[in-house]
Amino acid sequence: QLLREQLTPNASGLIVAMVGLPARGKSFISRKVERFLKWTGNRTQTFNVGKYRRDAVDPETSGKSDFFDKSNRDAVVQRMQMAMAALADAIKFLDDGGKFAIFDATNSTVERRKLIADKVSSAGRKYSILWVEAVCDDEEVVMFNMLTKVRYSPDFQQMTEEQAMQDLKQRIANYEEIYETVQDSEGAFIKLFNLSSKVMANHCYGRVAKSILPYLMAIHIGSPPLLF
């Protein structure tokens, strides 16, 4: 019982933190979960780090792949600042009575996730974190996500579709160099493979097991399979 309380306690607020490479459907999942939780009567808000980045640095600069290169030290510092600003706002939202704060970012390394977990645990309130990792290796799903991103994201408005696709591929490659999947030791998580064709859950109890997990098992991006 103590382990359950430590992992997914009946906390006064929950941060649902996304994890995943670009174009894996994180924002799609975030929007779906936000609508669902609001529909169930829970005060919920999404904090998208990409929006914080674009608000702080013109997307013509911050939207290009070299801004996500680990060797671009200035950009690394700026991206960290924006992520922490979004996290601070998410925690404040919970402080002000919110129930679920969705932290929509790549959160792609163990080090970054530990930093986030430490910030949340030091917030002074009984908040917990659920990691939701979007894992996608289905080429058709990835291509659909990439096309959606380059056509609708402000990052690519000044590029042709072909230029945008090449730049996005390079951004993904930059993240792939450092990406680390969520480990069992990191606490409660849900992993969605190819947007719920397979779902893996770790230490999910209480309201997570009763609401978020079943919902994530049900979402899909395309046509559902036919069952006979």
Side-chain angles (χ1 to χ4, degrees), residues 191-223:
K191 294 189 182 186
L192 298 177
F193 294 83
N194 297 315
L195 290 169
S196 80
S197 65
K198 182 174 84 170
V199 179
M200 179 187 299
N202 182 63
H203 292 308
C204 292
Y205 308 110
R207 57 182 169 172
V208 172
K210 291 177 181 177
S211 60
I212 297 177
L213 178 56
Y215 179 73
L216 288 176
M217 292 175 69
I219 68 170
H220 57 83
I221 194 169
S223 301

Side-chain angles (χ1 to χ4, degrees), residues 67-127:
F67 195 79
F68 302 90
D69 189 330
K70 64 181 180 180
S71 65
N72 186 340
R73 301 313 302 172
D74 288 343
V76 169
V77 170
Q78 288 178 302
R79 288 190 289 118
M80 174 66 80
Q81 290 171 341
M82 296 157 200
M84 291 303 100
L87 181 61
D89 285 349
I91 292 171
K92 186 178 185 304
F93 172 75
L94 298 181
D95 288 343
D96 292 340
K99 291 300 181 183
F100 295 92
I102 301 172
F103 185 58
D104 183 10
T106 54
N107 298 320
S108 52
T109 66
V110 172
E111 180 182 14
R112 170 61 66 86
R113 293 191 293 270
K114 184 180 184 305
L115 175 62
I116 292 167
D118 289 345
K119 290 282 188 183
V120 173
S121 65
S122 65
R125 303 266 186 114
K126 192 180 178 183
Y127 301 145

Side-chain angles (χ1 to χ4, degrees), residues 37-222:
L37 291 172
K38 285 181 174 178
W39 177 76
T40 59
N42 290 287
R43 189 176 165 205
T44 307
Q45 186 171 329
T46 297
F47 299 84
N48 179 278
V49 174
K51 184 178 186 305
Y52 281 73
R53 167 178 57 77
R54 287 187 288 270
D55 287 345
V57 183
D58 191 288
E60 283 196 51
T61 299
S62 70
K64 291 183 177 177
S65 59
D66 59 3
F67 195 79
F68 302 90
D69 189 330
K70 64 181 180 180
S71 65
N72 186 340
R73 301 313 302 172
D74 288 343
V76 169
V77 170
Q78 288 178 302
R79 288 190 289 118
M80 174 66 80
Q81 290 171 341
M82 296 157 200
M84 291 303 100
L87 181 61
D89 285 349
I91 292 171
K92 186 178 185 304
F93 172 75
L94 298 181
D95 288 343
D96 292 340
K99 291 300 181 183
F100 295 92
I102 301 172
F103 185 58
D104 183 10
T106 54
N107 298 320
S108 52
T109 66
V110 172
E111 180 182 14
R112 170 61 66 86
R113 293 191 293 270
K114 184 180 184 305
L115 175 62
I116 292 167
D118 289 345
K119 290 282 188 183
V120 173
S121 65
S122 65
R125 303 266 186 114
K126 192 180 178 183
Y127 301 145
S128 55
I129 297 180
L130 170 68
W131 304 107
V132 176
E133 183 174 7
V135 182
C136 193
D137 57 9
D138 184 313
E139 291 185 7
E140 186 175 333
V141 175
V142 173
M143 181 57 66
F144 177 90
N145 290 342
M146 290 178 69
L147 284 171
T148 300
K149 194 173 186 71
V150 301
R151 288 172 180 170
Y152 300 107
S153 171
D155 288 345
F156 305 102
Q157 286 184 351
Q158 305 304 317
M159 304 182 198
T160 65
E161 188 169 296
E162 182 179 355
Q163 290 171 332
M165 286 294 284
Q166 286 301 118
D167 195 76
L168 179 55
K169 286 177 182 177
Q170 183 57 55
R171 183 193 299 192
I172 293 170
N174 289 341
Y175 273 106
E176 286 175 332
E177 290 183 18
I178 61 170
Y179 190 80
E180 297 170 305
T181 191
V182 179
Q183 306 296 318
D184 288 359
S185 60
E186 294 183 70
F189 69 70
I190 298 171
K191 294 189 182 186
L192 298 177
F193 294 83
N194 297 315
L195 290 169
S196 80
S197 65
K198 182 174 84 170
V199 179
M200 179 187 299
N202 182 63
H203 292 308
C204 292
Y205 308 110
R207 57 182 169 172
V208 172
K210 291 177 181 177
S211 60
I212 297 177
L213 178 56
Y215 179 73
L216 288 176
M217 292 175 69
I219 68 170
H220 57 83
I221 194 169

